[in-house]
Amino acid sequence: MARPARFDADQLLDAAVRLAAATGPGGVTMSAVANDVGAPSGSVYHRFPGRPVLLAEVWLRTVERFQEGYFKALDTDVDARQAGRAAARHVVSWSRAHPEEAAVLLYGAGDFGRAHWPKEHVHRAEHGNQRVRTALAALAEALGAKARQDTECVELALIDLPLSLVRRHLRTGEPLPAHAEDLAEECATALLNSLPTNSTSPPPPPAAP
């Protein structure tokens, strides 16, 4: 009977996330991960054939874990504005619950060597990005946002502003304040409520002759 692997992929990726959060993507090397978990370097190479694959998996696993809850929040079957508020809160609450993974997302895929990823990892990243664009487009449509300025407003409310709130605190090493989720929701609500009236309501019927 084969001996079970002592270090599985998630254990090694957890170590890589810790290293990335502490020292940036440059600190994520095969030997550094092995040292962090007390494994021989061969254990890392057994799971990941090279550093580009390791970096790709660190980035993609982190993004996909974040996106799992984000897509649930964006469920417009409930109410589009409620979904928008929930999505903005999720950015902050997920970051609070997963500070090391949130620190990873302060970087970009390019910082994790996307230019050198195998094709299957690039396709995986593109698929995830397309899912986000599709979900945001569906929410914008549900809100009646059709002009580019209006869709930009939705993206600002549900992505850029909550991320900037998280980024400002994490980059200074400060914990997120207790009111952060409420602040993200309030900002999202204000922006979504600023959409033109004719973007969120059907036009009035023509006047009687």
Side-chain angles (χ1 to χ4, degrees):
M1 180 180 295
R3 184 174 62 181
R6 182 179 172 191
F7 301 99
D8 63 28
D10 278 327
Q11 285 177 293
L12 299 175
L13 289 175
D14 289 344
V17 166
R18 288 192 295 271
L19 290 166
T23 63
V28 182
T29 64
M30 308 296 272
S31 59
V33 170
N35 289 337
D36 188 272
V37 299
S41 294
S43 294
V44 184
Y45 281 97
H46 177 69
R47 297 291 182 183
F48 309 100
R51 186 167 183 261
V53 173
L54 173 64
L55 290 174
E57 289 291 347
V58 171
W59 175 257
L60 291 170
R61 189 188 72 159
T62 303
V63 169
E64 289 163 357
R65 285 181 171 183
F66 165 78
Q67 288 175 344
E68 181 179 355
Y70 196 66
F71 289 132
K72 290 179 181 178
L74 284 173
D75 182 4
T76 54
D77 287 342
V78 183
D79 173 82
R81 292 184 185 277
Q82 181 180 336
R85 293 193 296 270
R89 290 188 71 93
H90 174 74
V91 173
V92 180
S93 61
W94 185 89
S95 300
R96 185 192 299 282
H98 308 91
E100 290 179 332
E101 289 180 291
V104 167
L105 296 186
L106 296 184
Y107 297 93
D111 298 307
F112 283 83
R114 176 174 170 144
H116 305 288
W117 291 359
K119 287 183 180 179
E120 59 265 29
H121 291 86
V122 173
H123 292 161
R124 189 169 142 198
E126 290 175 347
H127 175 69
N129 291 338
Q130 184 57 49
R131 286 188 68 200
V132 172
R133 288 191 291 267
T134 299
L136 287 174
L139 186 135
E141 182 179 1
L143 290 169
K146 297 179 180 178
R148 181 55 188 161
Q149 180 176 340
D150 296 342
T151 58
E152 287 275 6
C153 181
V154 173
E155 292 165 6
L156 179 65
L158 306 190
I159 298 177
D160 300 326
L161 279 180
L163 277 178
S164 68
L165 174 60
V166 169
R167 183 180 296 112
R168 179 162 56 85
H169 290 282
L170 289 187
R171 283 192 169 166
T172 59
E174 300 173 358
L176 286 165
H179 60 263
E181 284 88 347
D182 291 340
L183 184 57
E185 181 177 349
E186 290 166 10
C187 290
T189 299
L191 280 169
L192 296 180
N193 286 343
S194 74
L195 292 172
T197 302
N198 61 5
S199 289
T200 56
S201 302

